[in-house]
Amino acid sequence: MISAIHELQLAFDEAELHADTDALNALLADDFRSIGEQGHVLNKAQWVGKFAEFAYTSLASSEIEVCFYGHAAIVRCIQRSRSAWRGQEMALTVRVSQTWVELPGGWRLAGIQFSSFGGE
């Protein structure tokens, strides 16, 4: 059986792949932060706004692990993506850690961190 958080993680990947900014705004906590594999930090508006210059052509997560801690959950996975940023093609494999929190309006993604993956 797939957990509700795993379903939300899949919905997040789908929203990212299709640049669905309405879905992303609904899934992300207001104080969301992303820490990129090079250490760059983006807030919610910057994360959603990245789609003005960025697009995924493929995005897949594997080895998904979900751990619950009361009103918080951690999702760890490996993510493989192909994308274009300002016209430049990119392929990336990273380890991802997502922090989901249960708020009065439901579960929201509060943070995501990417780390370089040397496993390939």
Side-chain angles (χ1 to χ4, degrees):
M1 182 173 119
I2 190 167
S3 73
I5 294 300
H6 190 169
E7 287 180 8
L8 286 169
Q9 182 271 325
L10 293 172
F12 176 74
D13 278 2
E14 194 70 12
E16 287 276 289
L17 179 60
H18 298 291
D20 185 343
T21 57
D22 289 337
L24 290 170
N25 273 310
L27 288 166
L28 301 179
D30 289 341
D31 61 353
F32 167 86
R33 294 292 183 274
S34 164
I35 302 172
E37 66 144 349
Q38 307 251 332
H40 301 285
V41 178
L42 299 178
N43 64 27
K44 181 178 180 175
Q46 292 166 323
W47 183 264
V48 174
K50 74 181 180 181
F51 291 102
E53 300 180 304
F54 177 88
Y56 283 106
T57 55
S58 67
L59 176 67
S61 296
S62 63
E63 299 182 37
I64 299 167
E65 172 187 73
V66 179
C67 299
F68 288 91
Y69 304 94
H71 296 281
I74 305 294
V75 176
R76 296 176 192 97
C77 63
I78 295 174
Q79 187 179 83
R80 290 171 179 81
S81 66
R82 292 195 178 279
S83 59
W85 182 64
R86 295 182 177 168
Q88 183 173 2
E89 300 282 323
M90 297 180 288
L92 195 60
T93 300
V94 291
R95 288 199 183 271
V96 178
S97 179
Q98 297 178 344
T99 303
W100 291 84
V101 293
E102 189 176 24
L103 300 173
W107 287 92
R108 299 291 183 268
L109 181 58
I112 189 169
Q113 183 163 357
F114 300 88
S115 299
S116 296
F117 183 73
E120 294 186 324

